[in-house]
């Protein structure tokens, strides 16, 4: 049961990240809760897409049975998560932090 709940939770988060990323990349506008904080919404959106794909790949990596393939999948997902986070950070305005 916990496996199904975690799968559903990750799926919801990945879909929300994908929707926010596609909106930012295609239209150049940010989602409403990020509008005042983003300097480059297209860059932030591509980071959101990469981060969401990394989360989905990490979730898939848990079901891979081969140990070597699992290590490769987790390494790639970690690289995607870090790269997406860096792109999202670079796309934000300098000095604008939430308090």
């Amino acid at each position: 049961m916990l496996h199904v709940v975690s799968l559903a939770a990750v799926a919801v988060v990945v879909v929300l990240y994908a929707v926010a990323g596609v909106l930012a990349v295609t239209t150049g506008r940010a989602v409403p809760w990020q509008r005042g904080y983003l300097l480059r919404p297209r860059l932030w959106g591509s980071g959101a897409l990469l981060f969401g794909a990394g989360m989905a790949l990490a979730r898939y990596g848990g079901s891979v049975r081969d140990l070597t393939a699992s290590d490769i999948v987790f390494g790639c997902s970690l690289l995607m998560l870090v790269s997406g986070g860096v792109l999202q950070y670079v796309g934000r305005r300098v000095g604008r932090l939430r308090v």
Side-chain angles (χ1 to χ4, degrees), residues 44-55:
W44 183 89
S46 61
L49 286 173
L50 194 60
F51 192 83
M55 283 194 302

Side-chain angles (χ1 to χ4, degrees), residues 34-41 44 88-98:
Q34 290 286 336
R35 286 216 175 111
Y37 300 103
L38 297 180
L39 179 64
R40 294 175 289 271
W44 183 89
Q88 286 180 342
Y89 178 75
V90 170
R92 296 179 68 84
R93 279 189 198 271
V94 177
R96 294 270 179 124
L97 299 175
R98 287 188 211 166

Side-chain angles (χ1 to χ4, degrees), residues 4-18:
V4 175
V5 170
S6 71
L7 181 64
V10 170
V12 167
V13 171
V14 167
V15 166
L16 288 175
Y17 254 103

Side-chain angles (χ1 to χ4, degrees), residues 38-80:
L38 297 180
L39 179 64
R40 294 175 289 271
R42 292 183 196 269
L43 184 63
W44 183 89
S46 61
L49 286 173
L50 194 60
F51 192 83
M55 283 194 302
L57 189 63
R59 184 64 184 96
Y60 168 73
S63 65
V64 175
R65 298 289 177 222
D66 185 23
L67 198 55
T68 305
S70 176
D71 289 344
I72 292 170
V73 167
F74 276 120
C76 290
S77 69
L78 181 64
L79 183 65
M80 291 170 74

